[in-house]
Structure formats: C-alpha cells, structure tokens
Amino acid sequence: MKEKTVRYGIVGAGMMGTEHLINLRHLRCEGVAVVCVADPHLPSRQLAVDLAKSFDWPLKVFSGHLELLESGLCDVVVVSTPNITHYQILMDIINHPRPHHILVEKPLCTTVADCWKVIEAARKRPEMLVQVGLEYRYMPPIAKLIEIVKDGLLGHIKMVAIREHRFPFLVKVKNWNRFNSNTGGTLVEKCCHFFDLMRLFAGSNPVRVMASGGVDVNHKNEIYDGKVPDIIDNAYVIIEFENGSRGMLDLCMFAEGSKNEQEICVVGDIGKGEALVPESIVRISTRQDGRDGVRTLKAEDDRIKYQGLHHGSSYLEHLNFLSAIRHKGKRTPAVGLHDGLVSVAMGVAAQLSIEQGRFVSIKEVTSENKFKPSELF
C-alpha cells in the first residue's frame, strides 16, 4: 500500500530554505512534496518559486508564516529563517490549533530562556514532532566515528578535539548574520554543531566552559546601517564534562586554504579515532597497536542522493525525520529540543567566557530561567 504524501511548507526561502527545498526534491520518491513557502523577502520567494517550478512542484507562496499556517496546506514546517526569529515562529507553530511537525534550523533559539519556553510549549503538544537541524551528526565520517565510539572501540572517552578551519560567514539577506544580536554570537550560531557533537562523543553533559576569541580578520571593514559587525571570527573553547571528559574547539573562519573544513579527534583510554570532512576519511587506532596499527576507512552512505552544502547530511536528516513522522509513537526525532537547548547553552557560556575572561558554568547561564539546571538533561 502506497504511503500518504507528506506535505512540507518552508518558512524562510534564503540559502538554507532553498537547500531544504532541493533536498526534499531528492526525497520525492519517498512520498514527499513541498507545497508552500513563506518569506517576507520578495527575491527569496521568487527564487524558491523558480526552483520549485524546475522540479514541477507548483508552490503556494505567502509573505509570512502565519498565512502559511492558516492555509492548512502542509503537514510539516521547515523553519530556516534568521536565528533571532526562531523563537516567535516556533511558538506560533506550536500554539496553532492545527498540529504541524517541525524541523527547525540550528540554533534552536538565540538564548537559553527562549529555548526553554519552546520546550515548555512543545510538551503540551505531544502530537507534534520537533527536530533541531544539528545535521553534522549525519555526515558519513562523523556518523562512522559516532558508531565507533558507541561500540566502545576507543574505550572511555577522555578528550574530544574539533577543529573547524574554513571561509568567512556567507552573505545573507540584509546581512543579518553579521551581528551577535541576530545570531546569538558565532559560538551559538555556528558552533552549536560542534558542542552537540562533543556531548555525543563524551557521553556526558557539560559542566563549565572557558573560551578565548576575537574579531581579528573578517568583516572589520564592513558597515551596515552605520554599525560594524561584531561576530568573532576565531576562538579556542574548552568544555569540561560531568564524567571528567574534556572537549576543545579550534575555530578559524579565515582559513580558506585548509584541505579539510572539519577535523574531529576523539581519544579514549583504549584508542583514538579521527574524522575528516570533506575528505570523508575515518582513522582508528589503539594504544596497543601503536602508530603501525592505524586503520584508514573511507566513510560513505549509499542512501545519499544529494550532497548539497553539508556533504549529504541534510539529505539524511530529512530521511531520518520523515521516518520518525511516519512511525510516530514508535520513533522520536534523533535530534530533539533538549539537544538543541544544551548546544545553545554551551555556546552562550562560551560567548560569556570571552566577554568576561573566565570559566563560566552551565548552571550560571541557565539559573536565570524558571527551571532547575538539572532539567536540561
């Protein structure tokens, strides 16, 4: 028996909105259709319409997300709008009389307080599934390394080191991503991905954070509405976890000449594993076998039909969420609201650490909210 078509609406038709549209197009054979899009920015709406037309997917177009919700056209809403807008859009979707499943781009929200309000609202709507777009988990080499760690091949994890050396932030509509007030700061906007991975690899929750970073190369000569961008372009971040594991992030956003954009190293008391992106290579070794015993694996996933901007991870993210939707009650989203919240809390703590030059505890950045820090986890 053929499964019912799952209808998607996309709120935010900029770079990531069109990326989701293309990924969903490649899932058409799985019974998916994008039926509508909402964006107040006319050029973005038109781009989505033209792109969908090339797929033979006629779109109903709205200037705002409330109109899209009222239309009743879609079963799932993908939120890919500027970070600062996530909170209100999510609350409007969750509180709408008609239930919609939600895939929201990272970060969940720009503040811990807003993340928690979204969680509280979603608890009252158990019929709705919400997945957070921390899709780096699905990149084949990273997914392979996660599997290696879960299988215990490295032993008890002691250290996680993640290096991202890459190009500067891309240009977005109205340059919203140039300012901390719109993004939550670079360590929330970009690095929530890596904090999420650290927590996965460590198998534990964060306790405190120390960071050093600055605005040293990028965007210093740019001015928007009389303001100079304030997002940092490089940082070192150290995370301490409850189980004694430590994580370290080495971020540089003016390193275009790097062979790999991400290099992830996980070391346990038995061995060491590495994942390289975009080379899609995984290396694994044990202390007993030493340097001569290092094995190199090519990480691939035959399910990927579209590589896109994130090496096939967005495609797998959608495939996973579609499965959760179709098997609701038996499966939950792989990346839930609490995952989104904790990754934001880690980024917020790191930003505060840079501002104040000290260790910042996770409890500190959550204590202003009306819940116990333990409820985060």
Side-chain angles (χ1 to χ4, degrees):
M1 180 177 167
K2 187 176 179 181
E3 299 225 50
K4 181 182 176 183
T5 298
V6 179
R7 304 168 301 165
Y8 286 71
I10 298 176
V11 177
M15 185 188 74
M16 280 310 300
T18 54
E19 175 73 358
H20 284 296
L21 177 58
I22 297 169
N23 273 281
L24 290 165
R25 163 64 181 87
H26 283 84
L27 279 163
R28 193 173 195 169
C29 61
E30 302 288 340
V32 209
V34 179
V35 297
C36 52
V37 65
D39 197 307
H41 187 242
L42 179 58
S44 296
R45 292 202 304 268
Q46 192 57 52
L47 176 62
V49 168
D50 293 343
L51 190 58
K53 191 177 293 184
S54 71
F55 303 154
D56 193 29
W57 265 356
L59 291 182
K60 182 73 174 176
V61 180
F62 304 99
S63 61
H65 67 281
L66 293 175
E67 297 171 76
L68 181 145
L69 295 174
E70 288 299 322
S71 73
L73 291 174
C74 56
D75 310 301
V76 185
V77 180
V78 177
V79 179
S80 50
T81 56
N83 301 357
I84 194 66
T85 67
H86 287 186
Y87 167 71
Q88 190 58 57
I89 291 172
L90 287 170
M91 293 298 279
D92 288 341
I93 300 172
I94 292 168
N95 291 324
H96 193 272
R98 186 179 185 278
H100 300 81
H101 302 305
I102 306 167
L103 172 62
V104 56
E105 264 303 322
K106 60 77 197 168
L108 174 57
C109 299
T110 58
T111 69
V112 174
D114 283 350
C115 289
W116 187 252
K117 291 173 190 173
V118 169
I119 290 174
E120 288 285 87
R123 281 178 175 171
K124 300 171 185 175
R125 301 298 300 272
E127 74 276 22
M128 299 169 63
L129 298 180
V130 187
Q131 178 154 314
V132 182
L134 295 165
E135 78 278 1
Y136 279 30
R137 294 181 179 207
Y138 297 113
M139 288 184 185
I142 297 176
K144 181 63 178 176
L145 188 53
I146 291 171
E147 180 185 321
I148 287 168
V149 169
K150 285 184 176 179
D151 286 346
L153 301 182
L154 307 183
H156 179 67
I157 302 306
K158 298 296 183 180
M159 302 178 74
V160 181
I162 299 179
R163 170 182 288 170
E164 180 171 64
H165 282 194
R166 54 162 280 169
F167 46 87
F169 277 120
L170 300 174
V171 174
K172 298 290 184 75
V173 174
K174 296 184 179 179
N175 301 290
W176 66 266
N177 63 339
R178 296 301 197 254
F179 298 95
N180 291 332
S181 59
N182 294 329
T183 66
T186 300
L187 298 178
V188 173
E189 146 60 27
K190 182 74 190 76
C191 300
C192 58
H193 276 305
F194 305 123
F195 299 140
D196 177 61
L197 293 177
M198 282 184 193
R199 184 167 162 250
L200 271 182
F201 287 124
S204 184
N205 287 310
V207 175
R208 63 175 188 161
V209 180
M210 179 67 191
S212 173
V215 186
D216 293 332
V217 176
N218 297 337
H219 317 303
K220 296 178 75 172
N221 298 319
E222 300 174 15
I223 299 177
Y224 304 100
D225 297 326
K227 297 178 182 178
V228 177
D230 59 358
I231 49 170
I232 65 172
D233 59 14
N234 70 103
Y236 291 116
V237 183
I238 298 171
I239 312 280
E240 294 180 347
F241 292 89
E242 288 177 349
N243 66 358
S245 300
R246 295 181 183 87
M248 191 274 287
L249 172 67
D250 167 1
L251 174 72
C252 180
M253 300 192 68
F254 45 87
E256 289 91 332
S258 304
K259 184 172 185 179
N260 284 297
E261 191 170 317
Q262 288 99 30
E263 299 177 4
I264 298 173
C265 177
V266 182
V267 186
D269 54 8
I270 292 175
K272 172 181 174 180
E274 297 174 279
L276 306 178
V277 179
E279 276 190 285
S280 210
I281 285 173
V282 174
R283 296 194 186 105
I284 181 172
S285 57
T286 65
R287 297 177 69 190
Q288 182 177 355
D289 294 336
R291 183 176 294 168
D292 293 336
V294 176
R295 290 182 288 146
T296 300
L297 314 171
K298 185 69 175 177
E300 298 174 332
D301 193 319
D302 294 337
R303 295 174 298 169
I304 297 172
K305 295 181 181 178
Y306 176 67
Q307 290 291 324
L309 299 177
H310 298 109
H311 315 292
S313 61
S314 293
Y315 179 88
L316 295 174
E317 171 185 53
H318 276 293
L319 194 63
N320 177 282
F321 191 41
L322 178 64
S323 179
I325 290 168
R326 286 205 161 125
H327 299 90
K328 190 178 179 311
K330 298 180 181 178
R331 294 194 60 184
T332 57
V335 191
L337 287 169
H338 274 88
D339 297 309
L341 184 151
V342 179
S343 69
V344 168
M346 294 165 79
V348 168
Q351 292 281 153
L352 184 59
S353 177
I354 290 174
E355 291 171 19
Q356 299 187 0
R358 62 180 179 86
F359 265 105
V360 175
S361 73
I362 294 297
K363 287 183 179 180
E364 182 179 344
V365 299
T366 60
S367 62
E368 65 187 43
N369 303 291
K370 296 178 180 178
F371 63 95
K372 298 176 182 178
S374 59
E375 289 186 84
L376 287 170
F377 313 118

